[in-house]
Each structure stands twice: as structure tokens, then as C-alpha cells.
Amino acid sequence: NAFMETLSNIRGRDDCVLIYDGICRLLRTLIDSKNTYLYGSVIEIGFQQELIYIFSKFINNNQHFLFHFLFRSDPNKVLVSIVYLLVRSSTDYSQIGLFHMCAFLLMTLSAEREFCVSLNRECTVSLPLDLPLFSGTYGDLLIISLHKVISSHFVGVQAMYEGLLRVVTNVSPYMMNISLIASRKLLDLLGIFMQERYLFKGPEGYVPLVYILESFNNMIQYQYSTSSSLVYMILRCRNVFETLRGFSLFHRPLHPSLTKEPNFVIQEKTEKSAEAEIEERGQESARKTTRQEVQEEEDEKRRAALEESKGLIGQSALPGEDDDEEDGQPARSFSIKEEMKKQEQEEEASKGAEPEKKEGESSGAGRKDSSTLAVINPNAQLNTKDERPHSLPQPWKVSEEWIEDWKAKLPLVPVMKLIYNLYPRVQEFCTENSTTDDAPVVEYIKTTTMVGILPVPHSIFIRKLQESPQTRAWTTSFLWGVIFQRNKNTPMFDSQFIKLFALTTNSNRRPEA
């Protein structure tokens, strides 16, 4: 490719300055067009996809441009535009391709040490986005923006959640002076991925928790002296880590949140309201729900559905149906009734066989059997055919063994040691000084040290984005889609002969593949 060869051979410093400043200036129009007081004074560009793609090619294929970007210029100039496009396109199905390009670019940049160090500079820009007001660094802006994307729970971007968390993990060893708001957002992310909708999504549902805990460990082990705000938030939200450490199949939080976080002594002595006590009792009783109770409810619903269907069948029978049955000529609905009776008999027989089987087993085996919960598709229909169990695919199961396996992989030791050793000291400080404000506690944490208490920091582990055949195929399809959209008004292609991707037209014929 002659164009790629030309791009990779650009080496002059003046050329790199011209290219980088031009890309930053064009992307900046996306933000300035929304922040201007005079409408129309700054025009927004319409080719941001192409700019993001060519900038990523310069980063990946031209080492001279990468050196200029990291050491001779300000990487945060382009970071602001990338973060803005990432958040803006995260809730729009038509901009999912742009969202993936921005996410891939952030994953690539977060693997560079100089880029991570540059995030500690003071952030002086304001983005036209629905973000909380804060005063901090560009690292705070990055964390708050990623939290905004993940907390939206938009279906189209959920596949990139782990990639966005890898960005946070890569930059965490270098982040200094993280603000209270960004610290709170990190702990909110931990609560989000402790929910069952993400944790029980598949066998690897615990991986986001590993990334977030690694980020906490990196910050408190490498940057403890400048991470007092994060340490303070960890101490306030210590119940989340206690819940995660004691997580089990029958004792798990229904909706882990940080809206009601325990505070220190002064706040703990306040009386709880009646509504809060009722809510806590309801959550505690809900946690005690076992698999047997859930199974009994499902059985009752299934019996009610069968009885209702029987009633409908009886109402829809013809007037002479009973006479035909008495004469030995079964009616048309007789086979359906037979199947339902047969199914009820099989269910009763299986329930009757379960106690006999449990009597012969030990109590430990009974516990193991009752602590296995199968992941069932709620849209699956009831099958009345007699199928053998070995012919059905085995579903993935959530069990105590699986939970204990991934709990052993969670890096909880540094955080728990921090809580056990520092919390009593902070609690004593609050009691002696009768303080309920955040600022004095944060200042006190700055005077403490965890040397000799926290484990020795491990070597910094960076996760780099590597191109694969799948990503190359996706990029090719995305670029051809952009080219086709750019040439709709003055057709460059005949849509009837496009074979690279699917086209939906206004006609009734099927789209071409």
C-alpha cells in the first residue's frame, strides 16, 4: 500500500507538528461549536471517523510521529476530543463504529507510559456533556467519562466494558492526586459489576472486578501519598469490600450500591429512620431466599399455567365432544390433554424420587446439590416432547464451586489490609476531633503511611491492544460503510452490486449480503 508506506516514512519534526496540530484543531471544532456563544461562528466537522482512524494509523505505524506525540507535544489536546466523541457516541446506535474506534485508540494510548504520566496535568477544559463539575486532572476526566459510558448500560456498547476497564487499569499506577468525585466513580463501578446482571452473565463475569481491584491496588501501592481521597472513599465504602469477600450463592447483595455508605463514628451514632430500617429488613429477607423456594414458586406458576390451559381447552371443546369420548372415539383435543397429564405425572415422579435419592447421600452432598443454580433462558418455551437428558446441551451453571474459584483470584489482600489497619486510626481521629467533614479526614490520611503493612508492589502489568484478523475485518467493513455513507448524494457506487456489507433499501426485497 503506497499510502501506508508514505505515512510510515514521515520523519521531519515540522511535518509531525503540522499533522498533529491539524488533527487537534479539526477535532476541537466538535467541542467549540457547542461551547460558543454566537451560534454558527464555529462549524463542526463531519469527518471525525476518518480523522480518528488516520490518527490511530499514525500512532501504530509511525514511530517518529509517536515519539513527537508523547515527548514533544501535549497528548491531552487530542484526549479531550477522543473522550468527547466516546461519550457522545455511546448512546447512539448509528455511532457505534465511532465509539469502538475511540475505545480502541484509548486502549492503545493507555499502554504508553508517557501518556499515562501526562494525565496528571490540571484539566482546564469544559466539555458540553452531562458530567459532574470537578476540579482535578485529565485522569479524573477520563475516569468520570468512562463511568458515564458504563453506567448508561447501553446495550450496544456493553461488549467494550472490559476494554474500557483495561484503560483504567493501565493508567492507575501513574495517577496522582485523584479527586473525590473520580474516587467515588471508581467505587460505583465496583458496585455495578457486583450486580448479578454482569457477574452471572457468563463464566468470565468476574473479570471486570479483577480489573477494578487491580486499579485500587496500583493506586494505593504506587501512589499512596497522593491518593488520600481514594483511600478515604475506600474506608467509607468498606462494606462493599466486606460484601465481596463474603460473597456466596445464598448470601449475595441484590443491588450493591454506594448510596448508603457507612461513615465514621460521628455519623454512625445517628439514628436510622423507619423507612431505612424497613428497606434493610426487606433486603435481608430477600438475601435469605434459597433455591428451593425459587423452585417451589416456579412449580406453582407451571401448575397454574397448565390448569389455565386445561380450562381453555375444556371451554373450546365442541358440545358433542364428551359423547364422542364415551363412545370410544376421542375428540381432537384429547391428545393435548394426554400430553399434559403425562407431563404432570413425570414431574410428580421426579419430585417423589428426589427425597429417596437425598436419603442415601450425605449431608455435605445435599448441600452441594442444593447450591447449584442453572442459568435458564426466560424466553425458552416448555417442551412437551419426551427428550432424553443426554440429547440436550448442558447449560452453564452458577455454583458455589465457581464462586469460590473466582473469589480466590480477586486481589483483595492490599485493600483489606489497608482497611483493617487504617480505619481504626481514622475512626479515633474523628472521635477525638468531633469532625464530620471530609477535608480534615483527607488531610489526616495524608500524614499516615502504610510502609511495612501493605504487600510489596508487584511489577506494573500493562495490557496492550493487539490487532487480530477479526478486528481487521471489522475495521474494513466499518470504513467501507463510512465511504458508502459519504457518497450517497452523488452516488459513487451502484447499491445493487455492493457485496461487501448488507444494504437495507426501501423496496420489499431482502437485503443483499
Side-chain angles (χ1 to χ4, degrees):
N1 191 327
F3 295 101
M4 290 300 301
E5 184 178 357
T6 304
L7 182 146
S8 59
N9 288 331
I10 296 177
R11 300 184 178 183
R13 181 173 181 176
D14 294 339
D15 296 335
C16 294
V17 171
L18 177 65
I19 294 172
Y20 180 67
D21 291 346
I23 292 175
C24 293
R25 178 174 53 84
L26 292 173
L27 290 175
R28 183 73 184 187
T29 59
L30 301 170
I31 302 174
D32 294 341
S33 62
K34 305 295 182 182
N35 285 337
T36 183
Y37 290 100
L38 183 60
Y39 179 77
S41 59
V42 179
I43 300 176
E44 178 181 339
I45 63 171
F47 49 90
Q48 55 268 22
Q49 293 97 332
E50 293 89 330
L51 271 180
I52 294 295
Y53 178 75
I54 196 172
F55 179 73
S56 65
K57 285 299 178 182
F58 270 109
I59 294 295
N60 293 323
N61 299 317
N62 193 322
Q63 294 298 321
H64 298 277
F65 182 84
L66 179 62
F67 180 83
H68 170 77
F69 168 71
L70 296 175
F71 294 95
R72 297 175 179 171
S73 61
D74 184 10
N76 297 314
K77 291 173 62 178
V78 73
L79 171 69
V80 174
S81 301
I82 295 173
V83 168
Y84 173 72
L85 290 175
L86 183 79
V87 178
R88 194 181 73 170
S89 60
S90 62
T91 56
D92 188 0
Y93 274 111
S94 63
Q95 299 291 326
I96 292 299
L98 177 60
F99 172 84
H100 280 76
M101 291 296 299
C102 294
F104 291 153
L105 186 54
L106 284 178
M107 293 170 65
T108 302
L109 295 177
S110 65
E112 302 293 337
R113 180 185 179 276
E114 289 74 17
F115 173 80
C116 300
V117 173
S118 67
L119 295 176
N120 295 318
R121 299 174 185 174
E122 184 180 0
C123 181
T124 57
V125 299
S126 60
L127 297 179
L129 296 172
D130 186 17
L131 298 177
L133 296 176
F134 71 98
S135 59
T137 62
Y138 287 96
D140 297 329
L141 174 64
L142 179 62
I143 291 176
I144 294 172
S145 302
L146 296 183
H147 175 270
K148 175 71 174 178
V149 173
I150 295 175
S151 60
S152 65
H153 304 290
F154 189 65
V155 179
V157 301
Q158 289 185 3
M160 290 300 299
Y161 281 178
E162 290 189 14
L164 298 178
L165 293 178
R166 290 192 199 108
V167 174
V168 179
T169 307
N170 287 343
V171 304
S172 59
Y174 309 98
M175 291 193 62
M176 303 169 62
N177 299 318
I178 183 171
S179 64
L180 278 173
I181 296 178
S183 303
R184 176 61 182 265
K185 298 303 180 183
L186 281 177
L187 287 161
D188 279 340
L189 290 178
L190 182 64
I192 289 173
F193 288 102
M194 284 176 62
Q195 297 179 10
E196 296 181 9
R197 59 185 296 185
Y198 295 112
L199 190 58
F200 292 167
K201 191 176 183 179
E204 304 296 328
Y206 66 92
V207 175
L209 297 178
V210 176
Y211 291 152
I212 299 174
L213 290 175
E214 282 188 9
S215 302
F216 290 147
N217 294 340
N218 290 335
M219 292 181 188
I220 65 177
Q221 287 182 301
Y222 286 99
Q223 306 293 341
Y224 177 82
S225 60
T226 58
S227 301
S228 54
S229 299
L230 177 65
V231 173
Y232 172 69
M233 291 305 302
I234 289 175
L235 296 178
R236 290 194 62 178
C237 303
R238 64 194 181 279
N239 62 326
V240 179
F241 299 95
E242 294 286 351
T243 302
L244 186 59
R245 191 188 64 167
F247 193 94
S248 65
L249 189 60
F250 300 130
H251 299 84
R252 59 184 187 270
L254 297 179
H255 298 287
S257 62
L258 305 177
T259 55
K260 294 182 179 180
E261 57 202 13
N263 217 324
F264 298 107
V265 172
I266 303 304
Q267 286 82 2
E268 283 181 351
K269 293 182 179 178
T270 58
E271 297 181 357
K272 297 181 180 179
S273 60
E275 295 179 356
E277 290 182 357
I278 294 173
E279 184 178 355
E280 289 180 1
R281 290 175 183 175
Q283 292 180 358
E284 186 175 356
S285 61
R287 294 191 189 100
K288 296 180 180 179
T289 303
T290 62
R291 179 180 178 273
Q292 295 177 357
E293 295 174 351
V294 176
Q295 187 67 28
E296 289 175 1
E297 292 179 1
E298 291 180 356
D299 293 340
E300 290 176 1
K301 291 180 182 178
R302 189 176 298 175
R303 290 196 197 96
L306 289 173
E307 291 175 1
E308 184 180 0
S309 61
K310 285 183 179 181
L312 293 175
I313 292 172
Q315 293 175 3
S316 62
L318 296 176
E321 183 178 359
D322 296 335
D323 299 333
D324 292 338
E325 291 180 3
E326 292 177 358
D327 295 338
Q329 297 177 358
R332 185 177 182 182
S333 61
F334 182 77
S335 61
I336 302 177
K337 293 181 179 180
E338 282 264 342
E339 290 177 356
M340 291 188 174
K341 289 180 180 179
K342 184 178 179 181
Q343 185 179 357
E344 281 188 343
Q345 293 175 359
E346 290 177 356
E347 290 180 356
E348 292 176 358
S350 63
K351 289 180 181 179
E354 284 180 359
E356 297 177 0
K357 184 178 179 181
K358 288 182 179 179
E359 288 176 1
E361 293 176 351
S362 63
S363 59
R367 289 193 203 99
K368 181 179 178 181
D369 194 32
S370 64
S371 64
T372 303
L373 181 65
V375 177
I376 302 174
N377 185 5
N379 299 324
Q381 297 181 355
L382 189 63
N383 192 2
T384 59
K385 295 183 180 180
D386 187 11
E387 296 183 357
R388 296 183 179 180
H390 67 270
S391 62
L392 297 175
Q394 294 293 331
W396 173 72
K397 295 181 180 180
V398 179
S399 62
E400 284 289 345
E401 290 78 7
W402 175 75
I403 292 177
E404 293 299 327
D405 180 61
W406 62 257
K407 279 175 61 178
K409 300 177 182 178
L410 295 180
L412 276 170
V413 175
V415 178
M416 298 309 298
K417 284 188 175 183
L418 174 72
I419 294 174
Y420 291 153
N421 288 274
L422 189 59
Y423 179 75
R425 297 160 59 183
V426 175
Q427 190 178 24
E428 183 181 358
F429 171 80
C430 294
T431 305
E432 293 177 352
N433 296 274
S434 300
T435 179
T436 59
D437 194 11
D438 296 340
V441 181
V442 173
E443 291 297 328
Y444 172 75
I445 293 175
K446 289 181 180 179
T447 63
T448 62
T449 179
M450 290 288 109
V451 177
I453 298 176
L454 296 178
V456 179
H458 56 79
S459 58
I460 298 176
F461 184 74
I462 300 297
R463 296 171 175 87
K464 293 185 177 181
L465 178 65
Q466 295 182 352
E467 191 176 12
S468 64
Q470 290 79 12
T471 57
R472 284 195 294 267
W474 178 87
T475 304
T476 302
S477 176
F478 168 72
L479 289 177
W480 277 109
V482 173
I483 293 172
F484 180 78
Q485 290 292 328
R486 293 284 187 267
N487 295 276
K488 287 178 63 176
N489 296 330
T490 56
M492 180 178 176
F493 306 102
D494 188 353
S495 61
Q496 295 181 357
F497 296 95
I498 296 294
K499 301 295 181 183
L500 291 172
F501 48 88
L503 297 176
T504 303
T505 59
N506 294 328
S507 60
N508 294 326
R509 61 186 180 88
R510 297 177 62 185
E512 299 178 1

